[in-house]
Amino acid sequence: MSKKTHITLKVNGKSEEFLAEPRELLIYTLRERLNITGPHIGCETSHCGACTVTVDGKSVKSCTMFAVQAEGAEITTIEGIGTPDSLHPLQEAFKEHHGLQCGYCTPGMITRAAKLLEENPAPSEEEIRFGMAGNICRCTGYQNIVKSIQAAAAEMNSSQSSSSEAVGHKTTEAAE
Amino acid sequence: MKDEITRDERIDNLKGMGCSRKRVEDARFTQGKGNYVDDVKLDGMLFGDFVRSPYAHARITNIDSAAALEVPGVLAVLTAKDLEPLGLHWMPTLAGDKQMVLADGKVLFQGQEVAFVVAEDRYAAADGIEAVEVDYEELPVIVDPFESLKSDVILREDTVDENGRPTDGAHGPRNHPNHIFTWEAGDKAPTEEVLANAEIVAEESMYYHRTHPCPLETCGCVASMDKVNGKLTLWGTFQAPHAIRTIVSLISGIEEHNIRVISPDIGGGFGNKVGAYPGYVCSVVASIVTGKPVKWIEDRMDNLMTTAFARDYWMKGKISATKEGKITGLHCHVTADHGGFDACADPTKFPAGFMNICTGSYDIPTAYLAVDGVYTNKAPGGVSYRCSFRVTEAVYFIERMIEVLAIKLNMDAAELRRINFIKKEQFPYKAALGWEYDSGDYHTAWDKALKTVDYEGLRAEQAQRVEDFKAGKTRKLMGIGLSFFTEIVGAGPVKNCDILGLGMFDSCEIRIHPTGSAIARLGTISQGQGHATTFAQILASEIGLPADSITIEEGDTDTAPYGLGTYGSRSTPVAGAATAMAGRKIRAKAQMIAAYLLEVHDNDVEFDVDRFVVKGAPERFKTMKEVAFAAYNQAIPGIEPGLEAVSYYDPPNMTYPFGAYVCVMDIDVDTGVPDIRRFYALDDCGTRINPMIIEGQVHGGLTEALAVALGQEIAYDDMGNCKTGTLMDFFLPTAWEVPNYETDYTVTPSPHHPIGAKGVGESPHVGGVPCFSNAVQDAFRAFGNTHTNMPHDHWRIWKTANELGLHD
C-alpha cells in the first residue's frame, strides 16, 4: 500500500472527488467506488474492450488506466449515453438488429461505437470492423453488431442531414 | 360479440412461435443495467482470491500464512488443513471423480488453488497472496497422456492401493494408476472383422487440441451465510443453479431448504460454468468463518489456466468401404487427456459424453468406439464447449474420416456423403453405436446447400486455381470445406441420463394473473440465448396470451422449479417441452372455465389462437384473458379457483438437429493467411421458435468454430507451464477476422417433442469446426495433403505448404 492521492474527475457530467492509491485502476474506481457497473471486466489486459469508456473524447480501456491518470478528466460510460426515455440511436439499433446476446460486452461495444460514429459518421463495413476490433464479443459473431452500427449511423445521419448539409468525415482511429 | 380484428392479426398480436420477436432482455443490457455476479454488492462484503501453484507437479512441504495475516485488510487465509475437518478439502466432480479444493499435500497442475486469502477488497487480497509463503518440492511433470500411461510416476495417490496396484475408478477398472477409465460402445470383434475383409480401408490419427470456452465474463460467486436465520445464499455464474444447490447441500451438510442459489445475468457460458469450482466452496466456507458475505471472481488468467478446458482428444480412426464408396465399418479409439482431475460434466453413464454419435449422419452398419481417460499434469476438465457432451469431437472425427476416405477412393467428398447418408425413410434410425435418431432429411438439406453455393462451379474454379498455381500465375490456393453434421442434444431421458444421480428432466411452472398476464419460471438459465423472449413465445402460442404479457424467470432456486440447467442445447428440447406441456395444462383447465361461462359442455368449445369458441358458432367465445379473470372471481362448481400449472418433463428421446455447411476459403501459400470468402450454413433445428435468435445463435456458434479451427488453443510446455493464459496468446476473433455468414434452413420437426423443436445453440459450433478445418485441408488436397491437425493458425498453414514443397 502506498500513499493515497486526491483525485477529482467528472463521470457522466457529475463531479467526483476521492482519495485513491496510485495503483487503483479506473475500472475499479467506476465499478467499486462510484457504483457505475455498466462497464465490465473481461480480461484486464486491454484486449476485450468490455470496460471501454470515453476519457476526454477518446475510447479508453478502463482496466488498464489508473484512476490517477484520469485526474481532471471527463469520462462517459454507457450510463451517460442515453436515458430510458431517450435512448441513443445505437441502443435502439442494437435491440432492433439483435446486436447482443449475453449483454456482457454490450456497454463497452456501444460506448466504443458511439465514439466511432463521432469520429466517422458514415463508416463503411470495413471501417466499422476495423474501428470495433478492440471490442470482443463471444456470442454474436459481430454480423449483427456491424448491422446495428450501420443502422444507427443511417438513423443519426438522416436526422442530422435535415438540419445540416455536410457531414464531416474524419479518419477512423484503430482501436487497440 | 363482433371481432374488430382478423384472425391473422390476433395471431400477430400474440408474438408467438415463428416470429422474430425482439428480445425483452435488451433494454437493460443496452443501458448498462444488466446484473451480473460481479455487480452484486452486499454490506460488509469481503473479497477472496487464491494463492496458486507456479508448478505443474510438486509436493507442498509447508504453507506459512503469518505474514499474510499481518497485511492490512487481510482477515483470513484458508488452506486444505482448515477445510479437512469439514471434509471440504476435496469435492466431487460432475464426472464421478473428486478434486482438491485446496492443495492437499501436492499440486497437480500449474495454477492449482493452494490457499484462499480473504480480505476487505481485491487489492488487499492481492497483497495477502503475495505474502503467503509456500514451500514446494518439484516432482517430475507429465503433460503427454501416452507417456502418462507408461510412466512410473503416479500422479494421484488415491488411484492405487497399499501395494501400489491401480484401484477401480468411477467407471470401472484402471489399467494403470494414471488411467481414469475405459469406455466402449458398439461391437469390437465384428467391426474388426469387417475392417480386415474390406475392399478399402482408410486410417487417420488426429489430435483435437485442448481449448477453452472462455466466456467474456469469467466465473465467480458471492456467498452469504446469514447466521441469524441459518440460511446460505449463493449468487454465481451457474449454468445449473439447482444442481449446484444440491451439491452444496451434499458436501456442506447444510439442509437444502436453507440454501438459496441464484444465477443472475450470466455473461456467456459455453460449458465453462456448468461444473463446481474450488472458488465456490472456499467462498462458502469463508462466509461461514467470517460471518460476512464473500465474493470470488476469477481474472482472465485464472479462467484460462484453471477452470474447465475442453477437448484434448487424441483420436485414431479406421473406416472401411466398398470400391464404390459404400461405408461398411468404423473403428475409433480415443485417448482423452483430462488433466489432474476428471472434471468434465457428462451424464454419469457417459464418461466420454456422447462421443458414440461418431457414426455421424451416415448409415454405417458396424462400428466400435473405445475411449481411455488419462490423468496428466494439466488443468482439470474436459467440458463440452458449446456442444452436447463431446459431440464436437465426434462430428469432427467422422467429418475428417469421410474426407480421408474420399481421398483414398479418389472420390468427390460431397458425393461420398450423399451415397452414405441415412435415408429419410430409415428414421427413426438405430445407429450402430446405440442411439436412435428421431428424424432427419439429409438428402434434401445437402442438395439445397450444394445447389445454393453452386458446388460444381466452385470445384471447377478450384481446379482452374490449381492449374494457375502450378503455372506460377497465383500464390493463392482455394479450399472448399464441407461438413454435414448430426447433433444429439436435449439430455435427456432420465432412464439413461443423470448428473450425480439427478435425472436430467426439466421444468416449467406457470401462474396466470387475474388480468390476463402471466409469469412462468423454468429450471434452466439463460446465458445470452434469450430465454425470456423465446419461452414466452412458446407460451403465447400455447395459451393465447401475448408474449409481451408473459414474464419469464429463471435462476433463483427459491422460486423456480427444479431443473438441470442450460448446457448441451437442452433448454428448448427439455425445458421448452415442459413449457408447452404446462401451457397445455393451463389450456385444459381454461377450457372447462370457458365452457362454464359459455354455458356449454367442455367438449363443445375449442381453442382458437387466443380464445375458446363454441364449435360451429364462432361468434360465441371467451378470450383467454376473460377466462383468466373468471378463474379468480367466479365460484365455478367442481373447479378450484386460480389458474396455475407445473410440468416436469422427462423427454422420451434426445433430439437430433442436423445441418449442411460449406466454406470457401482462399489461402495465401506464402503467409499462411486464410481468407474466408464465403460461409453458407443450413440448419435444421426442427420447429423454429424465433428465426432472429436462431440466426444469431448460428453466427455466434460459427465464430466460435472459426476460433477453434483457426487458432484457439490451450498449450503447455514440457514443464507444464500454460503458454496461453491471456487474450494475447489465446485467440478470440474480433470483428476484423470474422466474415459475414449466409444462413439457411429446412424444417424437420422432432416427432416426440411437443412443439417439434430440436435446439440450435450448439449446432453451428459442432458443424462449423470441421467445415473450417476441411476447407484448409481441401486447399492442399491436390498437392498430397491428407490430414493436418488443428488449430490451423497462419504458422501451421504455412508449415503445411512448406512441407508439401509449395515454397520450393
Side-chain angles (χ1 to χ4, degrees):
Chain A
M1 247 211 301
S2 53
K3 229 172 90 182
K4 291 188 174 176
T5 306
H6 181 246
I7 299 169
T8 55
L9 41 75
K10 215 178 229 187
V11 185
N12 300 327
K14 187 170 172 240
S15 295
E16 305 283 359
E17 211 178 324
F18 54 90
L19 290 172
E21 286 184 62
R23 65 176 173 173
E24 183 170 312
L25 294 165
L26 182 57
I27 186 70
Y28 186 90
T29 307
L30 294 170
R31 292 183 50 84
E32 304 295 331
R33 197 180 280 284
L34 306 176
N35 270 320
I36 294 169
T37 56
H40 297 133
I41 300 171
C43 68
E44 293 156 295
T45 50
S46 58
H47 287 93
C48 83
C51 63
T52 303
V53 299
T54 308
V55 179
D56 288 336
K58 289 206 167 237
S59 291
V60 164
K61 311 279 177 73
S62 62
C63 75
T64 34
M65 180 177 191
F66 293 115
V68 288
Q69 293 176 291
E71 165 63 28
E74 292 210 16
I75 297 166
T76 307
T77 71
I78 186 70
E79 287 88 346
I81 280 180
T83 64
D85 300 324
S86 168
L87 293 178
H88 189 282
L90 277 162
Q91 291 170 314
E92 294 281 10
F94 270 65
K95 280 164 47 175
E96 186 63 25
H97 298 282
H98 193 23
L100 65 147
Q101 290 180 26
C102 82
Y104 200 76
C105 76
T106 311
M109 201 64 84
I110 290 179
T111 307
R112 169 60 198 150
K115 194 71 224 146
L116 174 72
L117 293 184
E118 269 179 53
E119 293 161 356
N120 180 356
S124 65
E125 177 179 341
E126 197 174 36
E127 286 169 330
I128 291 173
R129 287 185 177 273
F130 191 63
M132 296 302 296
N135 290 69
I136 286 172
C137 170
R138 291 288 288 141
C139 300
T140 64
Y142 304 103
Q143 194 157 327
N144 288 343
I145 289 178
V146 171
K147 214 162 136 189
S148 303
I149 295 171
Q150 286 170 324
E155 167 64 26
M156 289 161 78
N157 291 336
S158 74
S159 59
Q160 261 180 17
S161 60
S162 54
S163 55
S164 68
E165 272 288 295
V167 176
H169 189 94
K170 292 181 208 160
T171 323
T172 305
E173 270 184 66
E176 282 166 9
Chain B
M1 231 191 270
K2 189 94 176 97
D3 245 339
E4 285 169 11
I5 56 173
T6 66
R7 188 170 185 276
D8 283 347
E9 284 168 332
R10 288 196 276 125
I11 292 171
D12 289 348
N13 287 345
L14 292 181
K15 297 188 190 168
M17 282 195 288
C19 84
S20 287
R21 181 183 183 219
K22 304 300 175 205
R23 300 200 332 161
V24 296
E25 294 89 344
D26 292 356
R28 66 179 189 278
F29 292 146
T30 53
Q31 295 178 69
K33 298 297 178 197
N35 184 36
Y36 303 89
V37 67
D38 200 16
D39 300 335
V40 173
K41 280 184 191 164
L42 303 173
D43 283 346
M45 191 173 73
L46 304 174
F47 192 83
D49 202 356
F50 286 108
V51 175
R52 293 180 180 278
S53 170
Y55 299 106
H57 194 197
R59 198 163 297 290
I60 293 177
T61 53
N62 191 43
I63 302 175
D64 185 350
S65 310
L69 290 166
E70 295 300 313
V71 170
V74 172
L75 280 89
V77 179
L78 300 178
T79 66
K81 281 198 179 120
D82 302 307
L83 300 182
E84 193 172 356
L86 308 166
L88 292 174
H89 55 319
W90 288 72
M91 63 176 185
T93 71
L94 298 185
D97 198 0
K98 55 177 190 164
Q99 174 176 356
M100 288 182 225
V101 173
L102 289 170
D104 185 17
K106 71 183 291 192
V107 288
L108 288 167
F109 64 95
Q110 187 186 51
Q112 187 175 333
E113 300 81 359
V114 173
F116 191 65
V117 175
V118 186
E120 283 168 1
D121 62 43
R122 285 168 215 230
Y123 288 94
D127 291 340
I129 288 167
E130 289 281 305
V132 175
E133 285 179 29
V134 185
D135 297 330
Y136 297 95
E137 260 177 35
E138 285 184 71
L139 295 167
V141 172
I142 304 174
V143 291
D144 178 300
F146 299 99
E147 191 194 317
S148 185
L149 288 179
K150 288 183 286 187
S151 177
D152 296 333
V153 178
I154 297 173
L155 298 180
R156 292 266 300 262
E157 278 137 24
D158 58 330
T159 58
V160 287
D161 63 19
E162 59 276 14
N163 302 314
R165 279 194 298 265
T167 53
D168 280 4
H171 306 288
R174 304 175 200 276
N175 57 35
H176 183 280
N178 299 335
H179 177 241
I180 310 171
F181 62 83
T182 298
W183 186 66
E184 294 174 283
D187 302 315
K188 190 176 182 193
T191 305
E192 283 170 353
E193 200 183 317
V194 166
L195 286 162
N197 299 315
E199 290 174 5
I200 304 285
V201 177
E203 293 185 40
E204 193 54 70
S205 294
M206 54 189 95
Y207 176 46
Y208 200 142
H209 59 289
R210 180 177 277 234
T211 183
H212 194 282
C214 195
L216 201 55
E217 178 203 33
T218 59
C219 300
C221 71
V222 177
S224 179
M225 184 72 206
D226 182 335
K227 290 198 173 177
V228 175
N229 61 25
K231 286 227 172 206
L232 171 70
T233 308
L234 183 62
W235 290 260
T237 47
F238 309 130
Q239 287 183 237
H242 300 272
I244 290 284
R245 185 185 71 189
T246 303
I247 294 167
V248 170
S249 177
L250 290 173
I251 70 174
S252 71
I254 301 170
E255 281 200 78
E256 203 166 352
H257 73 105
N258 279 330
I259 302 169
R260 179 181 184 189
V261 173
I262 300 173
S263 294
D265 287 328
I266 295 181
F270 316 123
N272 186 218
K273 295 168 178 171
V274 177
Y277 294 123
Y280 304 158
V281 178
C282 288
S283 302
V284 170
V285 173
S287 180
I288 293 170
V289 170
T290 61
K292 292 184 173 174
V294 176
K295 179 186 274 188
W296 165 73
I297 305 286
E298 288 181 315
D299 66 22
R300 179 57 59 193
M301 216 172 207
D302 299 339
N303 180 252
L304 287 172
M305 288 176 65
T306 70
T307 44
F309 80 88
R311 322 285 152 84
D312 214 342
Y313 257 31
W314 298 84
M315 306 187 283
K316 278 182 80 159
K318 287 180 201 165
I319 189 164
S320 61
T322 64
K323 279 183 282 200
E324 293 73 35
K326 188 82 191 80
I327 300 170
T328 54
L330 180 73
H331 188 287
C332 177
H333 181 268
V334 181
T335 302
D337 185 341
H338 282 269
F341 309 99
D342 182 0
C344 65
D346 291 324
T348 305
K349 291 174 195 149
F350 299 90
F354 301 156
M355 185 64 199
N356 59 334
I357 192 80
C358 68
T359 52
S361 315
Y362 311 103
D363 184 12
I364 302 179
T366 320
Y368 171 71
L369 162 74
V371 182
D372 282 296
V374 186
Y375 292 123
T376 58
N377 291 122
K378 289 147 84 175
V383 300
S384 313
Y385 167 11
R386 202 164 186 149
C387 84
S388 179
F389 312 114
R390 304 283 188 184
V391 177
T392 318
E393 288 91 325
V395 170
Y396 184 74
F397 171 78
I398 186 65
E399 288 304 290
R400 283 302 304 143
M401 288 310 294
I402 289 284
E403 295 281 324
V404 170
L405 178 62
I407 290 168
K408 184 104 184 181
L409 289 160
N410 195 24
M411 195 173 169
D412 178 80
E415 184 58 21
L416 179 60
R417 284 179 174 86
R418 185 201 313 275
I419 63 172
N420 284 288
F421 280 145
I422 302 160
K423 294 184 189 74
K424 192 180 172 185
E425 56 274 18
Q426 285 177 280
F427 292 95
Y429 173 82
K430 182 94 176 160
L433 293 178
W435 298 111
E436 187 178 287
Y437 294 26
D438 66 347
S439 58
D441 183 356
Y442 300 164
H443 288 92
T444 300
W446 196 229
D447 291 346
K448 188 175 183 187
L450 298 184
K451 191 166 171 236
T452 309
V453 300
D454 181 21
Y455 181 68
E456 282 176 22
L458 286 172
R459 284 293 178 203
E461 186 190 346
Q462 184 188 40
Q464 182 60 47
R465 184 75 69 85
V466 169
E467 291 310 309
D468 289 351
F469 182 88
K470 286 177 177 166
K473 290 186 202 161
T474 178
R475 295 296 291 162
K476 286 189 178 175
L477 292 174
M478 180 178 159
I480 303 167
L482 305 174
S483 83
F484 195 100
F485 65 91
T486 296
E487 262 221 282
I488 170 169
V489 306
V494 172
K495 63 177 187 277
N496 54 14
C497 289
D498 70 272
I499 285 185
L500 291 183
L502 303 166
M504 295 180 74
F505 59 84
D506 227 291
S507 59
C508 175
E509 180 196 89
I510 306 168
R511 296 178 188 181
I512 311 290
H513 305 317
T515 50
S517 67
I519 184 165
R521 295 185 170 107
L522 293 90
T524 43
I525 177 71
S526 188
Q527 308 126 37
Q529 296 91 336
H531 290 179
T533 304
T534 49
F535 287 128
Q537 289 181 259
I538 295 176
L539 269 185
S541 292
E542 289 291 340
I543 65 177
L545 292 175
D548 289 346
S549 300
I550 302 168
T551 294
I552 301 290
E553 260 189 23
E554 303 172 306
D556 183 342
T557 60
D558 262 12
T559 55
Y562 205 97
L564 265 282
T566 294
Y567 44 87
S569 272
R570 63 185 301 282
S571 297
T572 296
V574 192
T579 304
M581 297 309 271
R584 287 170 197 182
K585 288 183 186 177
I586 294 278
R587 217 163 75 187
K589 180 169 177 182
Q591 179 162 347
M592 293 193 281
I593 297 171
Y596 172 80
L597 298 174
L598 292 162
E599 297 176 337
V600 294
H601 190 271
D602 291 353
N603 295 334
D604 293 333
V605 294
E606 60 188 358
F607 185 70
D608 180 52
V609 185
D610 57 354
R611 63 194 54 184
F612 292 94
V613 298
V614 175
K615 285 179 186 167
E619 71 287 355
R620 291 187 61 207
F621 63 85
K622 288 286 172 191
T623 64
M624 185 57 98
K625 203 175 151 104
E626 290 168 319
V627 170
F629 197 62
Y632 289 89
N633 77 351
Q634 300 239 358
I636 304 171
I639 298 179
E640 282 181 9
L643 196 49
E644 301 187 2
V646 60
S647 169
Y648 284 79
Y649 188 80
D650 178 12
N653 191 3
M654 310 281 182
T655 59
Y656 296 79
F658 59 92
Y661 292 177
V662 182
C663 173
V664 185
M665 199 182 264
D666 290 320
I667 290 178
D668 186 319
V669 167
D670 297 316
T671 61
V673 176
D675 177 27
I676 300 153
R677 207 206 298 175
R678 186 170 188 190
F679 199 106
Y680 169 87
L682 179 151
D683 275 276
D684 191 320
C685 58
T687 303
R688 290 156 58 87
I689 299 165
N690 183 320
M692 175 191 83
I693 285 182
I694 291 171
E695 270 187 31
Q697 290 291 312
V698 173
H699 295 166
L702 288 174
T703 302
E704 290 191 344
L706 180 155
V708 169
L710 301 184
Q712 185 179 87
E713 69 173 322
I714 295 286
Y716 290 85
D717 68 13
D718 292 343
M719 305 277 288
N721 294 304
C722 180
K723 299 194 289 182
T724 50
T726 73
L727 299 190
M728 179 73 92
D729 311 296
F730 185 81
F731 173 51
L732 296 183
T734 70
W736 189 246
E737 288 97 12
V738 175
N740 282 309
Y741 304 105
E742 294 165 54
T743 54
D744 203 346
Y745 63 95
T746 55
V747 177
T748 310
S750 167
H752 61 79
H753 188 280
I755 58 168
K758 294 183 175 179
V760 75
E762 294 164 342
S763 296
H765 189 70
V766 168
V769 176
C771 193
F772 285 111
S773 180
N774 283 346
V776 173
Q777 322 242 19
D778 181 69
F780 296 106
R781 177 173 170 176
F783 301 90
N785 174 61
T786 309
H787 175 82
T788 59
N789 284 329
M790 295 188 294
H792 308 294
D793 54 20
H794 302 173
W795 177 73
R796 286 182 174 99
I797 293 177
W798 181 90
K799 206 161 147 264
T800 300
N802 193 260
E803 282 163 5
L804 293 170
L806 304 184
H807 296 148
D808 299 340

